Amino acid sequence: MELYDCVIVGTGPAGMGAAFHLSELRPDIRVLIIDKESTSTGGLRNDCKMNFTFPIGFPLEYWEKTRAEEMITCVTRYLNPDILTMRNLEVYERRAERLGVKLVEVRQSHLGTDGGILLIKELVERLKSRGVALSLRERMESVDAQKKCIITSRRELGYKKLVIAPGRKGFGFLQGIMDELHIPYVDNIVDIGLRIETRKKCYPIVQDYYDPKFIFPDKVRTFCTNSNQAYVVKERYRSRTGKYYYSVNGHAFSDKKNGNGLVNFALLKTVRFTQPLASGQEYAEMLGQMVMLMGGGKPLMQRVGDFRLGKRSKVESFSVDLYDFQPTLKECTPGDISLAMPSKILRDIWKSMKMLDTIIPGVLHPSTIMYCPEIKLYANKPRFLDEYFQAKQNIYLVGDGAGTSRGIIAAWASGIRAAEGILSSL
Ligand SMILES: Cc1cc2nc3c(=O)[nH]c(=O)nc-3n(C[C@H](O)[C@H](O)[C@H](O)COP(=O)(O)OP(=O)(O)OC[C@H]3O[C@@H](n4cnc5c(N)ncnc54)[C@H](O)[C@@H]3O)c2cc1C
């Protein structure tokens, strides 16, 4: 059995953060990073807008400002981003304030999906040149904490320290590992919402602020805005019971490409469950399946014009008169999202949309499309043994799948924090 000082599972930003930090501070140790996919690396591949301001992406139960800011400085050193200029924010801030809405100013960079792929290639080369071993198409199946080894789709790998960073899609996988290792956890928070797609001229703020972060009352916020050459996409998830459902998402290419004149962004509501509900994940999965049922196995979409009139959207809604742009996510069923989304969630989101339309008039144009559902599972909350995200002796759980982050920069920071713990005890 091959033995490494540290095995890292997942080449997303959390795994990368750990690998870069370990190899920088201890070039003498043997580090292996594996990924089940054929290309590295997780979520950097999509749009790759990076937020360098606390608390964006940093769950407050694990991060306090000073610590997070130290980490952001460290991540900035590894990624060397070009920070975008923001303009005219006072106007939007003033309008937002009057409604009790907050616009958070965030230092951002944006590479686009094409730029993200180039960054990944560069990061992989830099890791290799530091002597980190990389193995793609290798899936971690299980762990034997007694023998200190993991079983992968190819072999057994011995470790002194293990970092597991499987991302949001690895949420269920990580729960399986935590069950196996008797690591207590709760997953009582989910973010559920819609993705909005409209013409850029109906949401012109994106010319001044690439990914504007509005925080509305009732725990609703804007999230992950994409513009210029922007597309709505769907992600396939497998539920614990083996059924599939989709969550929508969005991405854009870099500014170099010709634009399609569209913008998309999510409006998400954070839902925190209390007892006796056992699993936020199962709740979200059932909601996802409900939409699949209504949409004949596809996500749903509805024009704002139809939604306002209480009518379902039909195929015709996507081709006539005022409805003058085509949805970028074609594989979606026109329908009535209010039949699939719990009313409390939809009510709060619609209220926020009306506020947004007051701040940026035009976003509720009848042609604007609401896609459903957008589900974010990142609220696994393992009981950690220490501040370094060690959940079992020598096993660290980090990134979006472990609930220590909600975005690229915080995921990278979580990996660094695990690496710090590892370095203090290797
Ligand atoms: C379409 C889309 C657009 C996004 N846009 C942005 C954005 O612009 N800005 C932003 O900050 N965030 C964005 N995000 C979120 C961002 O991608 C995540 O917050 C971030 O990638 C989390 O990092 P991570 O390392 O925890 O997980 P991931 O990046 O998901 O990486 C996890 C890795 O682990 C691998 N893996 C999982 N299970 C196993 C296993 N059993 N064995 C081996 N390997 C495994 C996966 O293949 C994956 O490569 C976006 C996400 C999506 C899906």
Side-chain angles (χ1 to χ4, degrees), residues 48-179:
C48 208
K49 64 182 126 359
M50 300 191 262
N51 295 303
F52 292 87
T53 299
F54 178 81
I56 303 301
F58 287 85
L60 296 179
E61 56 271 43
Y62 295 125
W63 293 95
E64 47 90 22
K65 193 164 187 264
T66 322
R67 192 77 194 272
E69 285 179 345
E70 276 166 28
M71 293 286 166
I72 290 173
T73 308
C74 193
V75 182
T76 306
R77 213 162 28 79
Y78 289 122
L79 292 175
N80 196 19
D82 281 334
I83 299 296
L84 298 168
T85 315
M86 290 190 276
R87 286 176 292 262
N88 304 321
L89 289 205
E90 331 72 64
V91 179
Y92 305 112
E93 269 165 358
R94 218 175 24 246
R95 289 182 197 162
E97 236 170 63
R98 273 193 222 118
L99 301 172
V101 177
K102 191 168 167 39
L103 176 63
V104 186
E105 279 184 46
V106 180
R107 294 179 73 238
Q108 283 176 346
S109 73
H110 176 237
L111 293 177
T113 300
D114 44 348
I117 290 168
L118 295 178
L119 174 68
I120 290 162
K121 284 191 181 142
E122 185 206 314
L123 292 173
V124 167
E125 288 314 311
R126 275 165 64 193
L127 269 188
K128 284 187 189 157
S129 70
R130 286 159 171 249
V132 173
L134 172 75
S135 175
L136 298 174
R137 287 198 207 90
E138 180 164 8
R139 172 193 294 273
M140 173 181 169
E141 309 280 5
S142 60
V143 57
D144 185 332
Q146 299 287 314
K147 273 173 63 186
K148 290 177 79 175
C149 75
I150 62 167
I151 292 90
T152 76
S153 45
R154 291 199 207 150
R155 53 187 163 161
E156 279 190 10
L157 285 167
Y159 65 82
K160 287 186 189 159
K161 304 283 179 185
L162 174 64
V163 178
I164 310 180
R168 231 178 275 159
K169 279 199 163 175
F171 195 90
F173 161 75
L174 200 61
Q175 290 194 338
I177 296 288
M178 291 193 285
D179 289 341

Side-chain angles (χ1 to χ4, degrees), residues 10 13-14 35-37 42-43 46 49 140 166-167 235 249 399-400 407-408:
D35 203 292
K36 65 183 172 55
E37 300 297 334
N46 297 297
K49 64 182 126 359
M140 173 181 169
E235 296 162 1
N249 210 322
D400 282 22
I408 293 170

Side-chain angles (χ1 to χ4, degrees), residues 157-411:
L157 285 167
Y159 65 82
K160 287 186 189 159
K161 304 283 179 185
L162 174 64
V163 178
I164 310 180
R168 231 178 275 159
K169 279 199 163 175
F171 195 90
F173 161 75
L174 200 61
Q175 290 194 338
I177 296 288
M178 291 193 285
D179 289 341
E180 210 176 302
L181 294 173
H182 306 291
I183 296 171
Y185 62 89
V186 284
D187 80 295
N188 63 341
I189 304 175
V190 283
D191 278 356
I192 293 173
L194 306 174
R195 186 155 285 262
I196 311 299
E197 183 171 58
T198 192
R199 281 173 298 152
K200 201 170 153 185
K201 66 177 185 199
C202 294
Y203 199 56
I205 187 173
V206 293
Q207 286 158 2
D208 296 329
Y209 184 173
Y210 182 75
D211 179 16
K213 304 284 187 193
F214 286 102
I215 301 179
F216 301 92
D218 305 312
K219 298 196 163 49
V220 178
R221 67 187 196 283
T222 53
F223 183 81
C224 184
T225 304
N226 306 287
S227 58
N228 296 327
Q229 186 76 3
Y231 296 90
V232 178
V233 292
K234 58 181 188 172
E235 296 162 1
R236 191 165 186 250
Y237 286 85
R238 187 167 185 271
S239 74
R240 280 180 152 195
T241 53
K243 292 194 173 146
Y244 288 93
Y245 68 97
Y246 290 103
S247 168
V248 292
N249 210 322
H251 79 109
F253 292 100
S254 67
D255 286 344
K256 283 170 245 147
K257 307 265 174 179
N258 293 325
N260 59 5
L262 299 179
V263 178
N264 68 68
F265 61 92
L267 272 165
L268 297 179
K269 177 172 168 70
T270 302
V271 187
R272 182 185 288 263
F273 296 102
T274 48
Q275 284 186 341
L277 189 110
S279 165
Q281 180 187 10
E282 278 178 42
Y283 175 89
E285 284 173 355
M286 289 180 86
L287 194 142
Q289 281 161 38
M290 168 77 110
V291 179
M292 292 307 103
L293 184 73
M294 302 228 11
K298 298 175 185 169
L300 288 174
M301 60 183 172
Q302 189 169 12
R303 294 278 190 188
V304 160
D306 293 332
F307 180 82
R308 269 207 186 113
L309 296 173
K311 288 195 325 189
R312 64 162 290 184
S313 283
K314 299 185 181 155
V315 176
E316 306 85 85
S317 320
F318 289 86
S319 54
V320 289
D321 192 21
L322 275 176
Y323 297 170
D324 58 355
F325 71 90
Q326 293 297 310
T328 54
L329 179 59
K330 303 277 181 242
E331 284 178 29
C332 232
T333 304
D336 189 344
I337 57 177
S338 55
L339 287 176
M341 180 74 87
S343 76
K344 185 171 167 58
I345 299 177
L346 192 55
R347 207 174 45 231
D348 290 347
I349 290 177
W350 180 242
K351 193 167 123 195
S352 303
M353 286 174 72
K354 287 193 278 189
M355 289 177 162
L356 193 59
D357 192 53
T358 309
I359 301 166
I360 304 154
V363 68
L364 286 193
H365 189 275
S367 63
T368 298
I369 301 173
M370 304 151 84
Y371 292 91
C372 174
E374 177 138 347
I375 295 173
K376 302 290 180 217
L377 296 173
Y378 33 29
N380 257 340
K381 281 197 264 150
R383 193 182 300 153
F384 291 115
L385 301 177
D386 60 23
E387 59 181 304
Y388 303 112
F389 304 133
Q390 184 172 209
K392 186 96 184 170
Q393 208 59 39
N394 302 311
I395 301 178
Y396 299 76
L397 309 179
V398 288
D400 282 22
T404 67
S405 61
R406 296 174 172 197
I408 293 170
I409 300 308

